[in-house]
Amino acid sequence: MYFPSEYSLQEFLFTFFKVHGYEAATEVPIEGGGKADLVAHIYLIECKKVLTRSNLFEAAGQLTTYLKARPDKILVIAGLTPVSGEREARQAAQRLEAVGFSVWFIDELEIFKSFYKRCYELF
């Protein structure tokens, strides 16, 4: 699985939700400032191309600022598994999940892997 940018990852997830019949929007302005990468179904998603430890904590900070405006959503950090620093990233993900965030290493989740293969590996 490969995405050249955070934007391409965001578009992949947007397409995933739309194809599965859910409302989704990208770059959603949040009351109080900022823009959520993706709001889809029950999720408020911050995309990071690779989920390094520092990217995970950065995304958690961003989502925390959006929480007051969107308390009805599940906060999700989505991205790819890092090639280096994987152990530290997994520890950070566990810490974040313990306080209520969902962390999606999308290259490890079968639902996203199969959708990627259907849509992006046709040739």
Side-chain angles (χ1 to χ4, degrees), residues 11-73:
E11 287 299 307
F12 167 77
L13 291 172
F14 171 81
T15 302
F16 172 85
F17 282 104
K18 293 300 274 186
V19 165
H20 288 88
Y22 297 105
E23 288 189 31
T26 60
E27 298 299 319
V28 178
I30 300 295
E31 183 182 321
K35 290 184 180 178
D37 286 344
L38 180 63
V39 177
H41 189 44
I42 60 173
Y43 305 109
L44 181 64
I45 303 170
E46 184 63 33
C47 297
K48 296 296 180 190
K49 184 177 171 183
V50 178
L51 296 182
T52 63
R53 179 184 183 281
S54 62
N55 283 347
L56 283 163
F57 286 122
E58 178 183 330
Q62 290 171 277
L63 288 170
T64 299
T65 64
Y66 306 154
L67 182 58
K68 186 175 181 181
R70 299 304 299 262
D72 58 322
K73 300 293 183 189

Side-chain angles (χ1 to χ4, degrees), residues 45-111:
I45 303 170
E46 184 63 33
C47 297
K48 296 296 180 190
K49 184 177 171 183
V50 178
L51 296 182
T52 63
R53 179 184 183 281
S54 62
N55 283 347
L56 283 163
F57 286 122
E58 178 183 330
Q62 290 171 277
L63 288 170
T64 299
T65 64
Y66 306 154
L67 182 58
K68 186 175 181 181
R70 299 304 299 262
D72 58 322
K73 300 293 183 189
I74 295 170
L75 304 179
V76 176
I77 304 167
L80 300 174
T81 306
V83 174
S84 63
E86 181 180 347
R87 188 172 141 260
E88 292 83 3
R90 291 196 186 282
Q91 289 173 340
Q94 287 177 338
R95 289 176 60 193
L96 291 169
E97 288 172 336
V99 295
F101 292 91
S102 291
V103 178
W104 295 349
F105 291 95
I106 64 164
D107 52 327
E108 297 178 359
L109 297 172
E110 190 55 46
I111 193 164

